[in-house]
Amino acid sequence: MKKRVIKSLLVTVTSLSMILAGCGGGAANNSAGSSESTASSEATESAEATESKSSGSGDTIRLVNNKAEIQEGLQKLVAKYQEETGVTVEIDTIGGGQDTQAVLKNYYQADNMPDIFVFEGDTHYDTWQDVLVDLTGEKWTEDTEAEYVHDGKVYGFPTTTEAIGLTYNASILEAAGVDPKSITGPDSMRAAFEAIDAKKDELGLTSVVGYYTEASNLWWTAGQHLLGTYLDSGLSRDDTTYLDMINDGGKLDPDRIAAFANMVALFNEYTDPSGVSGTYDEQVAGFAQGKYAFVTQGSWIGASLTGQYADFYKEAGNFEVGMIPYAFIEGQDTIQTNSPNWWGLYNGGNVDAAKAFIQWCSENDGGQEILAKDCGCISPYKSSTHMADDPFADTIKNYSADGKTSAWHWQGWKAGLAQNVTCVIFQDFAKGSIKTPEEFVSTLQKAIEGYYAQ
């Protein structure tokens, strides 16, 4: 029955692809068809090549990885595991722009599912829920708050952590006499912005905050990530109160959204005006150059600071970075952390061996050192003492160890909400065509309700 459900989905997807391909021409259609064909072909070839090594083959397990950049590190990881346990872990990396989920569906159709595979939250859970192993009660779940949970049960193993918070340049805050720990709510946040703005020229700043709201390409920055803090800031990781409200016809809590709107108005007041049309690269490069004391981007920019913009970052003094909570209500003391994806276990595979492997990966004296040092993963495990070479590693580790993290739940609102609706409203507020926090709230409420009514 389980296979019939997923195979039915696959047939539907394939049929739809054929219909779309037949509807008509154009380079875009041809390109998409070519990409799909390549993914299917490669999946079939891989299925044939690994038929003799399929799931459930004793002391061998197979892992699908969707991050080509950590393939070398993962090879070190599994070599170490084999040295210690005698168990072989084969890594199947799907990279190069391929659609991981499409390839996995081909694997499933060919009865060649890996023992461990990647999925990315609620949407992918809906696809694979019938074949995912329930991991509730596994030992590693006691050491993290980043596992994937659905209806109170654990289905996903986290390998790394990303964080969303108001990112700051510690050198600039120190020079302005602002202690980031003193920013605990709207009044202290405004006081900090005012103190930094008073020394803006002396500090060489373009603006206090690099808050970018361009809606075409940066829709996810304000329309998704920032609005997502309205859902979760200050709450326990399993609290979905405000997500549940939004999903109940687009409702917003009047008091909470009003406080959130005042914070957004503060950002509008002290941001770089070019943020309404600027790019992601300009925003991150500006922060790397020391042009902004704060920036509304998450921990993923650490790789850019030490990579693409390393020269800018070095010239600016390789300053220490940190995050404060988006504390739009006094006392909110959490940043939002989540795994960007999870490893799930296939219930038709070598389940016991796969469980033993991920348990070892979670352990400080197991796989944590290699995951940190060779894969660059910021550990979601409290017991890990191994730090990735990333500017945000200490920040995430400290908030996690103190239990001061909330989850992010924006993946659970109606698909397309940020990209189609909310991003434009944030941009209009920043431009000034929406003039007051009250008008922002009213516009946002009507638009979200209208989107849910469709």
Side-chain angles (χ1 to χ4, degrees):
M1 179 62 183
K2 293 175 181 176
K3 287 193 175 185
R4 284 201 296 272
V5 171
I6 294 182
K7 286 186 178 179
S8 175
L9 171 62
L10 294 172
V11 170
T12 302
V13 171
T14 303
S15 300
L16 179 59
S17 298
M18 293 173 66
I19 291 168
L20 291 174
C23 283
N29 282 338
N30 290 336
S31 173
S34 173
S35 174
E36 181 178 317
S37 175
T38 300
S40 298
S41 174
E42 293 186 8
T44 302
E45 289 172 8
S46 180
E48 292 172 352
T50 59
E51 186 174 1
S52 64
K53 303 174 183 178
S54 61
S55 296
S57 57
D59 291 328
T60 297
I61 57 177
R62 187 163 133 250
L63 162 68
V64 162
N65 163 48
N66 69 339
K67 291 183 176 293
E69 65 272 17
I70 68 170
Q71 167 72 6
E72 186 176 346
L74 286 179
Q75 291 292 355
K76 293 182 180 179
L77 182 80
V78 301
K80 180 66 173 176
Y81 188 66
Q82 184 173 24
E83 177 187 328
E84 291 190 9
T85 67
V87 175
T88 300
V89 181
E90 297 169 347
I91 300 172
D92 188 351
T93 293
I94 302 170
Q98 290 189 63
D99 182 341
T100 304
Q101 296 301 306
V103 176
L104 282 169
K105 289 171 185 176
N106 277 285
Y107 283 154
Y108 184 86
Q109 200 167 33
D111 289 325
N112 190 44
M113 276 295 284
D115 301 283
I116 303 171
F117 64 96
V118 174
F119 72 100
E120 300 176 13
D122 294 347
T123 300
H124 294 168
Y125 170 80
D126 289 342
T127 299
W128 300 109
Q129 58 182 306
D130 289 330
V131 300
L132 282 167
V133 173
D134 181 355
L135 300 170
T136 308
E138 291 295 304
K139 183 179 176 182
W140 58 265
T141 63
E142 301 172 4
D143 197 29
T144 185
E145 294 180 329
E147 66 270 36
Y148 178 79
V149 178
H150 188 87
D151 287 342
K153 294 183 178 180
V154 177
Y155 294 99
F157 175 86
T159 58
T160 191
T161 304
E162 289 182 350
I164 294 173
L166 184 54
T167 297
Y168 64 81
N169 177 327
S171 296
I172 289 174
L173 267 62
E174 183 179 2
V178 173
D179 179 358
K181 293 181 180 179
S182 71
I183 304 173
T184 59
D187 292 341
S188 51
M189 189 181 294
R190 172 169 288 279
F193 277 37
E194 290 174 349
I196 295 167
D197 188 63
K199 297 185 176 181
K200 187 170 69 173
D201 293 340
E202 176 186 334
L203 296 170
L205 297 177
T206 299
S207 63
V208 174
V209 60
Y211 167 55
Y212 279 45
T213 54
E214 191 279 323
S216 296
N217 298 300
L218 274 175
W219 57 268
W220 47 273
T221 297
Q224 181 164 280
H225 289 167
L226 187 59
L227 183 57
T229 68
Y230 156 79
L231 298 182
D232 290 303
S233 189
L235 303 183
S236 62
R237 295 190 65 85
D238 60 353
D239 191 335
T240 60
T241 298
Y242 301 104
L243 172 67
D244 296 341
M245 286 184 67
I246 262 193
N247 285 334
D248 183 18
K251 296 183 177 65
L252 300 174
D253 180 84
D255 293 337
R256 188 174 174 91
I257 197 64
F260 174 81
N262 288 333
M263 180 183 71
V264 177
L266 178 68
F267 293 168
N268 288 339
E269 185 178 349
Y270 286 99
T271 192
D272 183 349
S274 67
V276 296
S277 59
T279 67
Y280 173 78
D281 285 339
E282 289 168 344
Q283 184 184 23
V284 179
F287 182 69
Q289 290 170 298
K291 292 182 177 180
Y292 309 130
F294 298 95
V295 69
T296 53
Q297 288 292 347
S299 64
W300 49 86
I301 71 171
S304 296
L305 296 180
T306 58
Q308 183 178 1
Y309 301 118
D311 290 343
F312 290 157
Y313 189 44
K314 181 179 180 180
E315 188 175 344
N318 287 327
F319 51 85
E320 181 185 346
V321 298
M323 285 184 180
I324 59 170
Y326 281 106
F328 53 88
I329 294 173
E330 184 63 43
Q332 290 175 326
D333 59 357
T334 62
I335 61 172
Q336 281 67 54
T337 64
N338 248 51
S339 177
N341 54 50
W342 291 266
W343 288 352
L345 273 57
Y346 175 50
N347 64 10
N350 197 343
V351 174
D352 289 341
K355 283 184 175 182
F357 173 66
I358 64 173
Q359 176 59 43
W360 177 84
C361 286
S362 76
E363 293 169 0
N364 186 64
D365 57 353
Q368 283 298 295
E369 182 173 8
I370 295 174
L371 285 169
K373 302 298 184 185
D374 295 289
C375 298
C377 296
I378 297 177
S379 179
Y381 296 96
K382 298 173 186 176
S383 63
S384 177
T385 60
H386 304 290
M387 302 298 291
D389 184 19
D390 184 280
F392 291 95
D394 282 335
T395 295
I396 294 175
K397 182 69 175 177
N398 291 338
Y399 273 102
S400 297
D402 291 341
K404 297 297 185 181
T405 67
S406 300
W408 61 57
H409 286 109
W410 41 261
Q411 308 105 314
W413 60 36
K414 186 174 180 179
L417 177 66
Q419 190 168 8
N420 297 324
V421 179
T422 60
C423 63
V424 175
I425 297 170
F426 280 89
Q427 186 180 35
D428 286 346
F429 193 20
K431 283 180 177 179
S433 52
I434 293 176
K435 300 188 181 305
T436 66
E438 293 75 19
E439 185 182 355
F440 171 76
V441 169
S442 174
T443 304
L444 195 66
Q445 178 69 83
K446 290 177 183 176
I448 294 174
E449 286 178 348
Y451 189 69
Y452 269 86
Q454 294 175 5

